Amino acid sequence: MKVIIVGGVAGGATAAARIRRLDEQAEIVVFERSGYISYANCGLPYYIGDVIADPDELTLQTPESFLKRFRVIMKVHHEVTAINPDRKTVLVKNLETGDEFEENYDKLILSPGAKPTQPRLPGVGIDKVFTLRTVEDTFRIKEYINKHHPKSAVLAGGGFIGLELAENLRELGMEVTIVQRPRQLMNPFDADMASFLHNEMRKHGVKLALGHTVEGFEEKNGKVAVLLKEEESLHADMVILAIGVTPDTVLAKKAGLELGMKGSIVVNDRMETSVPDIYAAGDAAQVRHYVTGEEALISLAGPANKQGRIIADNICGKDSRYLGSQGSSVIKVFDMTAATTGLNETNARKAGLDVDTVVLSPMNHAGYYPGGQVMTMKVVYEKETCRLLGAQIVGYEGVDKRIDVLATAIHAGLRADSLKDLDLAYAPPYSSAKDPVNMAGFMIDNILRGTVKQWHLEEVADLPHDGSVTLLDVRTKGEYEEGHIDGFRNIPVDELRERLDEIEKDKIVYVICQSGLRSYLASRILEGNGYEAYNFSGGFRFYDAVVNDRCLIKKATACGMDQ
């Protein structure tokens, strides 16, 4: 059996190694148009920022090491230019010599990945405008920085690459501005949770121009002018496009394979394309979202590796199925860690699901153990079925641990209230006896049982201020005086029982505290004394962060720059 693989990196290299482990006699040839067959794509920004000092650390395998260990022929600087499914051959061009030749296959694996989205804008070809996707891209950017010592950079795009680049360029001492059309960074997060990321970026001197559209680039006086729609231009020494990626499927299209969203390759759960004996994996393949079952494009290394393994199993006579991508991811944002899995609230509602959320601010470990830090968690679930749909966490230590527990719970099909039953490891330096994941489950269980009723951030603007309801802040007097929502009166929770006569019983009471815990206790006191009370989800800390961020974005939209 002869297997040809188009593209290395995650999906292709994984498939090659797995096929060899399953079939010692198979002939395996990988064609990779770049000079690197297996590299740490996610580590590229950290090489630019000198966190990874040795460029050799970026390459996980070389053609020589792969051949020695797996007897796989890795041909770099070789581009497959055409597929002939009828003859089961591919046309290959040696990019170093220009020679072309035809190679036959029994099985063909397409792992071409994705290419940086290149908007058709004036000035994209300017030598001070870069994209970052490959090792070669990384070296070009690093060489430019080392040679020209730029003082400023504009990053077009606020996704994973944009944020990681922003951090690394700031660590090099550069002024950094992120400009992007959506009014938030990191679309896998809801806008309210992204507020904490925005604050962290501002804290470290990154300027944000959110809600702005780039219309082109011009070179002026040795700098690049970033032209914005109906706004003044931004000026910098260099620009890096991190707008996103597009499936690289020109080959598949020319070969007549069925294509899906954004031109991606349609595959079944065995990763088979519409043409017999041709498989596809990675960023170029359309998959199903594990939670919704709908078609999705999810460009992450973990899914690509799994898909490569599944293809290898099926080629070698086994029966492996890809269950779908959940979108679990984590990112370092300066001192913070942010992670997400499954659906956020925004996308769940777009999918037509009737959802609710809980927002909590637990410590990463026991409060009495030194060094504890607050994290913000948002858990999304379906109201009627209590199906766990997704979660987002922003914080410091312990974020990655909790998101992985929640990702596992979603994959296992646990109900959201079942989070309270998970038996999780505890010691004071690592967690609390009631882990944050358990706490989310307790909160959801209380809501389902009617023990507590919630009100949310989106309802603040609609609250009546005519005296028809009671607006109650149960924090301490000092906390209240440092900042509160207009119209809310202050009765600290520890004084509430003695001051119930100050609250009219025939009015609904909307309660808030700093994190949601004291207002929950206050709600139970009120309910136990015949009142109808609603507890604010997330607390004043959450409200303050989101509202202040929205004000800054609104101001930036008006003046052209986030200060």
Side-chain angles (χ1 to χ4, degrees):
M1 178 176 65
K2 182 175 181 179
V3 181
I4 287 180
I5 302 174
V6 181
V9 195
T14 297
R18 176 69 172 171
I19 291 170
R20 175 57 70 227
R21 291 194 294 271
L22 297 177
D23 187 343
E24 185 64 20
Q25 308 307 319
E27 181 182 355
I28 309 167
V29 183
V30 178
F31 293 112
E32 169 60 49
R33 63 184 165 206
S34 76
Y36 301 88
I37 52 92
S38 182
Y39 59 86
N41 189 287
C42 300
L44 301 183
Y46 297 98
Y47 174 72
I48 292 172
D50 290 335
V51 177
I52 299 172
D54 185 354
D56 290 339
E57 294 293 328
L58 296 174
T59 53
L60 307 177
Q61 291 277 1
T62 66
E64 295 75 20
S65 67
F66 223 96
L67 177 63
K68 184 176 182 180
R69 176 162 294 182
F70 297 107
R71 292 300 186 266
V72 170
I73 300 171
M74 291 280 189
K75 294 191 175 182
V76 296
H77 296 136
H78 281 68
E79 181 176 11
V80 175
T81 58
I83 303 169
N84 303 302
D86 294 338
R87 300 202 308 272
K88 299 186 78 168
T89 64
V90 295
L91 186 64
V92 186
K93 183 176 182 179
N94 185 326
L95 299 178
E96 294 178 349
T97 66
D99 294 338
E100 290 188 322
F101 58 93
E102 199 168 47
E103 191 97 7
N104 68 293
Y105 66 83
D106 296 306
K107 305 288 184 180
L108 176 64
I109 302 173
L110 300 180
S111 180
K115 54 190 176 184
T117 302
Q118 287 276 23
R120 295 180 179 178
L121 299 175
V124 165
I126 293 173
D127 60 6
K128 294 180 177 63
V129 178
F130 301 86
T131 58
L132 177 59
R133 181 67 178 175
T134 66
V135 174
E136 288 89 345
D137 294 336
T138 308
F139 291 161
R140 277 192 291 271
I141 293 171
K142 188 62 176 173
E143 182 182 0
Y144 181 84
I145 291 173
N146 290 340
K147 183 177 180 180
H148 297 282
H149 307 289
K151 302 296 183 186
S152 59
V154 168
L155 309 179
F160 288 95
I161 292 294
L163 267 63
E164 290 169 348
L165 271 173
E167 176 179 345
N168 281 279
L169 295 179
R170 280 298 293 155
E171 295 296 337
L172 293 178
M174 296 174 63
E175 293 183 6
V176 178
T177 301
I178 297 178
V179 57
Q180 107 156 353
R181 185 181 303 168
R183 293 168 68 93
Q184 72 167 85
L185 302 174
M186 294 294 293
N187 284 332
F189 291 80
D190 287 315
D192 50 15
M193 294 296 288
S195 298
F196 294 92
L197 303 180
H198 299 167
N199 185 55
E200 184 73 3
M201 300 300 277
R202 297 184 187 107
K203 175 182 170 183
H204 287 85
V206 177
K207 297 178 180 178
L208 304 180
L210 305 177
H212 296 271
T213 302
V214 176
E215 292 199 321
F217 309 94
E218 291 180 357
E219 193 164 5
K220 289 185 177 181
N221 302 319
K223 290 182 176 288
V224 181
V226 182
L227 310 179
L228 302 180
K229 184 178 181 180
E230 299 176 355
E231 299 287 348
E232 291 186 12
S233 300
L234 301 174
H235 296 84
D237 296 322
M238 65 184 300
V239 172
I240 303 178
L241 301 180
I243 297 172
V245 294
T246 303
D248 190 356
T249 55
V250 174
L251 266 179
K253 183 177 181 180
K254 289 195 298 184
L257 274 65
E258 182 183 352
L259 302 181
M261 50 196 308
K262 293 186 179 180
S264 58
I265 303 171
V266 172
V267 294
N268 60 18
D269 60 358
R270 287 170 53 87
M271 306 310 295
E272 296 168 324
T273 71
S274 59
V275 174
D277 296 321
I278 300 180
Y279 301 76
D283 296 354
Q286 175 180 287
V287 297
R288 290 195 175 276
H289 196 287
Y290 185 79
V291 177
T292 66
E294 296 176 353
E295 288 77 14
L297 286 176
I298 298 179
S299 299
L300 294 169
N305 274 281
K306 295 182 187 73
Q307 292 159 19
R309 178 187 174 93
I310 286 167
I311 290 172
D313 284 355
N314 291 323
I315 283 177
C316 294
K318 299 180 181 296
D319 184 19
S320 287
R321 308 279 173 160
Y322 188 65
L323 301 180
S325 293
Q326 201 168 300
S328 301
S329 61
V330 64
I331 184 172
K332 176 182 180 293
V333 183
F334 290 101
D335 299 327
M336 296 190 85
T337 299
T340 182
T341 187
L343 289 178
N344 61 26
E345 181 183 6
T346 304
N347 289 333
R349 294 192 185 282
K350 285 181 180 177
L353 298 172
D354 185 18
V355 303
D356 202 356
T357 67
V358 291
V359 178
L360 58 158
S361 301
M363 299 284 282
N364 66 309
H365 60 60
Y368 60 83
Y369 188 87
Q373 295 171 302
V374 173
M375 64 178 71
T376 304
M377 295 177 58
K378 182 175 184 179
V379 178
V380 185
Y381 63 97
E382 191 172 25
K383 284 183 180 179
E384 183 177 352
T385 64
C386 199
R387 180 166 62 118
L388 186 60
L389 300 176
Q392 303 151 66
I393 312 177
V394 180
Y396 301 90
E397 291 184 4
V399 166
D400 53 341
K401 168 184 173 178
R402 274 69 186 211
I403 207 69
D404 282 343
V405 172
L406 288 160
T408 304
I410 292 171
H411 186 84
L414 293 185
R415 285 171 53 99
D417 55 341
S418 295
L419 296 175
K420 72 183 190 305
D421 302 319
L422 295 178
D423 192 353
L424 303 175
Y426 158 62
Y430 304 106
S431 184
S432 299
K434 291 184 285 191
D435 188 85
V437 174
N438 295 136
M439 290 302 302
F442 292 140
M443 293 170 67
I444 294 167
D445 181 64
N446 278 336
I447 293 166
L448 294 176
R449 293 175 182 270
T451 305
V452 67
K453 297 185 282 287
Q454 290 192 114
W455 64 287
H456 295 279
L457 181 67
E458 293 71 25
E459 300 173 60
V460 173
D462 297 326
L463 286 177
H465 287 70
D466 58 2
S468 59
V469 299
T470 299
L471 307 178
L472 182 63
D473 189 320
V474 297
R475 295 177 296 159
T476 64
K477 181 180 178 181
E479 289 174 308
Y480 178 82
E481 290 176 347
E482 287 181 2
H484 58 269
I485 303 175
D486 289 343
F488 276 72
R489 58 184 298 194
N490 179 225
I491 301 178
V493 65
D494 292 336
E495 302 175 14
L496 184 57
R497 288 184 179 91
E498 290 69 38
R499 297 174 62 179
L500 286 174
D501 58 347
E502 299 177 29
I503 304 173
E504 297 177 66
K505 244 180 190 174
D506 59 345
K507 296 179 181 179
I508 295 175
V509 186
Y510 290 89
V511 193
I512 191 170
C513 73
Q514 190 68 10
S515 68
L517 174 58
R518 284 173 288 175
S519 52
Y520 162 62
L521 298 176
S523 296
R524 294 307 306 143
I525 292 170
L526 291 165
E527 292 276 351
N529 285 278
Y531 295 83
E532 183 177 2
Y534 287 79
N535 181 31
F536 182 72
S537 177
F540 185 80
R541 171 183 173 271
F542 181 73
Y543 165 86
D544 195 45
V546 176
V547 170
N548 285 337
D549 177 62
R550 288 176 179 174
C551 289
L552 286 171
I553 294 173
K554 186 176 180 180
K555 178 182 175 184
T557 303
C559 72
M561 183 58 59
D562 190 329
Q563 302 297 325

